[in-house]
């Protein structure tokens, strides 16, 4: 069906809402360990933001019985874009609901959809403003987090998800392909950096991670040292290291409920209209980690389930091809499963 309605003018990835089973344990992880600021909290939910952020929150932790992704929030350019969003998604034929201001604490009127790839997404403009702590160095920890940077979602059909987000006006900065028409992953943006959303092939719809940005690498390394000092280093899943895709320095953590958080810094500008797409071959071992350790299985296979707009778990389906079964990445000893003459990448015994 041809879409006749224009998409809403999305500015950026703005907030996520997690269901957590132990609010106090989650509070320790996100406030005491990561240093996010509490904008509001009660027995049911904690609303958090990072130091550069002046909107009410970029992360909501809501108490519940099963860990899940409750919502991804995109900010649009103005309230007028809510009508555009409502018309666009109703034409796509997905569950589309207009919700009044305050449905999510601190957020104005919004449009909520279960999008065509199965995720619960909210589009909003109005939000309560709060103090921006950019220069409150008197309270920044040595691991200060600046802002929410992106979402990464696991989807069984990366091509379909890529087409949906292209229709929503997102640009493409990088991809992982195999030259045989398979798209294993894609990084897509509205703000002028590498991505607001990454599409990772896998059982989905599930949330792979939410990423927060720091200004510099040393802030990421300090989080690692703090976790080691506390004997809580098991929260580190992958990294620290340097990504091939995005060129960012990264660390992946798992929170007490298993939700994955990436701490990320130093990607690059993508704002010119002729920004070239960087296409990585799935056999290139440096695509996911430019150097460093093999990508652990849990990073490829584990993710947070998603809820629909009524709070019910969205069923997941599996991809036809799995990247990790073709080549893991960063593993200097993996052997490409393809005919090696076609892939001049370091494999196995080659050094
Ligand atoms: O933000 C990201 C940037 C790069 C990568 S990858 O592991 O280098 O593909 C993963 C990621 O999507 O988390
Ligand atoms: Fe990421």
């Amino acid at each position: 069906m041809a879409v006749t309605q224009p998409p809403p003018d999305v500015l950026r990835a703005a907030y996520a809402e997690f269901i957590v089973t132990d609010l106090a344990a989650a509070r320790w992880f996100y406030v005491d360990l990561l240093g996010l600021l509490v904008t509001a909290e009660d027995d049911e939910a904690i609303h958090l933001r990072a130091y550069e952020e002046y909107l009410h929150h970029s992360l909501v932790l809501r108490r519940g019985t099963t860990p899940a992704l409750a919502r991804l929030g995109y900010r649009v350019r103005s309230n007028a874009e809510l009508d555009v969003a409502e018309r666009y998604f109703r034409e796509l034929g997905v569950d589309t609901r207009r919700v009044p201001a305050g449905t999510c604490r601190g957020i104005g009127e919004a449009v909520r959809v279960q999008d065509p790839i199965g995720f619960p997404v909210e589009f909003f403009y109005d939000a309560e403003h709060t103090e921006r702590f950019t220069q409150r160095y008197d309270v920044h920890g040595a691991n200060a987090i600046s802002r929410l940077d992106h979402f990464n979602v696991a989807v069984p059909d990366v091509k379909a998800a890529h087409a949906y987000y292209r229709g929503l006006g997102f640009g493409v900065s990088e991809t992982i392909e195999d030259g045989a028409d398979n798209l294993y992953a894609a990084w897509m943006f509205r703000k002028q950096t590498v991505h607001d959303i990454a599409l990772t092939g896998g059982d989905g719809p599930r949330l792979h991670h939410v990423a927060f940005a720091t200004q510099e690498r040393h802030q990421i390394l300090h989080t690692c040292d703090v976790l080691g000092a506390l004997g809580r280093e098991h929260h580190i899943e992958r990294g620290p290291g340097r990504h091939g895709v995005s060129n960012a320095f990264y660390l992946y953590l798992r929170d007490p409920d298993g939700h994955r958080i990436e701490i990320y810094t130093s990607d690059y500008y993508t704002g010119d209209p002729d920004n070239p797409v960087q296409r990585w071959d799935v056999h290139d071992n440096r695509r996911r980690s430019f150097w460093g350790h093999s990508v652990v299985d849990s990073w490829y296979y584990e993710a947070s389930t998603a809820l629909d707009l009524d709070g019910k778990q969205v069923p997941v389906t599996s991809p036809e091809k799995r990247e990790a079964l073709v080549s893991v990445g960063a593993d200097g000893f993996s052997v490409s499963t393809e005919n090696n003459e076609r892939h001049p990448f370091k494999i196995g015994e080659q050094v």
Side-chain angles (χ1 to χ4, degrees):
M1 177 193 87
V3 177
T4 63
Q5 296 295 329
D9 183 352
V10 173
L11 290 174
R12 62 180 174 87
Y15 85 86
E17 180 167 314
F18 285 164
I19 302 300
V20 297
T21 58
D22 180 338
L23 205 50
R27 191 183 198 281
W28 170 81
F29 182 85
Y30 291 98
V31 178
D32 298 352
L33 173 70
L34 295 188
L36 293 181
L37 295 164
V38 177
T39 306
E41 66 179 321
D42 56 34
D43 293 345
E44 295 306 310
I46 305 175
H47 293 70
L48 302 167
R49 70 186 193 278
Y51 287 109
E52 273 178 26
E53 296 170 330
Y54 63 86
L55 294 191
H56 186 265
H57 59 264
S58 56
L59 183 66
V60 181
L61 306 173
R62 182 168 304 284
R63 195 163 55 82
T65 52
T66 308
L69 169 73
R71 196 171 321 112
L72 295 176
Y74 286 109
R75 197 176 197 202
V76 293
R77 193 168 298 279
S78 72
N79 270 324
E81 293 301 324
L82 301 186
D83 293 338
V84 178
E86 189 168 10
R87 286 193 294 269
Y88 182 76
F89 285 100
R90 289 201 188 287
E91 185 176 45
L92 290 184
V94 297
D95 186 355
T96 303
R97 305 181 192 182
R98 197 74 176 249
V99 297
T103 303
C104 178
R105 185 172 182 172
I107 300 290
E109 184 182 17
V111 171
R112 287 185 178 178
V113 302
Q114 187 173 357
D115 72 13
I117 56 175
F119 288 90
V121 179
E122 176 170 273
F123 297 89
F124 74 94
Y125 173 71
D126 271 340
E128 280 177 39
H129 284 204
T130 185
E131 183 182 358
R132 197 176 210 172
F133 272 51
T134 307
Q135 294 185 312
R136 287 293 307 276
Y137 293 105
D138 55 316
V139 297
H140 285 195
N143 60 344
I145 288 175
S146 302
R147 56 179 172 79
L148 181 145
D149 186 78
H150 62 266
F151 309 134
N152 183 313
V153 292
V155 290
D157 185 340
V158 175
K159 267 192 189 171
H162 168 270
Y164 161 61
Y165 269 99
R166 289 292 289 135
L168 208 45
F170 281 60
V172 185
S173 55
E174 302 204 26
T175 62
I176 296 179
E177 308 175 24
D178 65 359
D181 200 33
N182 290 302
L183 183 61
Y184 291 91
W187 286 258
M188 304 182 76
F189 62 92
R190 285 293 293 179
K191 72 178 181 303
Q192 300 182 348
T193 63
V194 168
H195 56 317
D196 290 283
I197 186 94
L199 309 172
T200 302
D203 295 358
R206 295 183 301 160
L207 173 76
H208 189 274
H209 64 266
V210 172
F212 286 90
T214 62
Q215 292 291 344
E216 299 171 57
R217 284 176 293 180
H218 66 77
Q219 286 146 331
I220 293 177
L221 293 172
H222 187 73
T223 291
C224 298
D225 283 338
V226 168
L227 284 168
L230 296 175
R232 308 293 288 265
E233 66 283 356
H234 56 274
H235 285 284
I236 296 174
E237 178 192 46
R238 177 184 161 202
R242 170 76 64 187
H243 279 314
V245 171
S246 81
N247 189 49
F249 194 77
Y250 71 88
L251 172 71
Y252 290 97
L253 302 172
R254 304 295 292 273
D255 82 0
D257 280 289
H259 296 304
R260 184 179 289 108
I261 293 291
E262 181 182 17
I263 316 294
Y264 171 102
T265 190
S266 322
D267 65 355
Y268 57 87
Y269 169 75
T270 60
D272 284 13
D274 59 351
N275 184 73
V277 176
Q278 169 138 1
R279 301 180 191 280
W280 292 81
D281 188 299
V282 71
H283 300 91
D284 188 334
N285 266 319
R286 296 180 309 162
R287 67 193 186 282
R288 295 237 180 239
S289 292
F290 202 51
W291 44 260
H293 303 292
S294 176
V295 181
V296 293
D297 267 0
S298 59
W299 192 90
Y300 274 119
Y301 291 102
E302 295 176 15
S304 303
T305 53
L307 302 180
D308 66 17
L309 299 187
D310 295 316
K312 287 201 280 308
Q313 189 167 310
V314 180
V316 303
T317 55
S318 298
E320 281 175 23
K321 287 196 77 149
R322 288 184 187 278
E323 177 185 338
L325 298 182
V326 176
S327 82
V328 168
D331 176 359
F333 301 97
S334 68
V335 176
S336 167
T337 56
E338 303 288 330
N339 167 343
N340 294 327
E341 282 70 58
R342 290 178 20 231
H343 299 287
F345 298 111
K346 178 168 75 95
I347 56 165
E349 68 288 354
Q350 287 180 15
V351 290

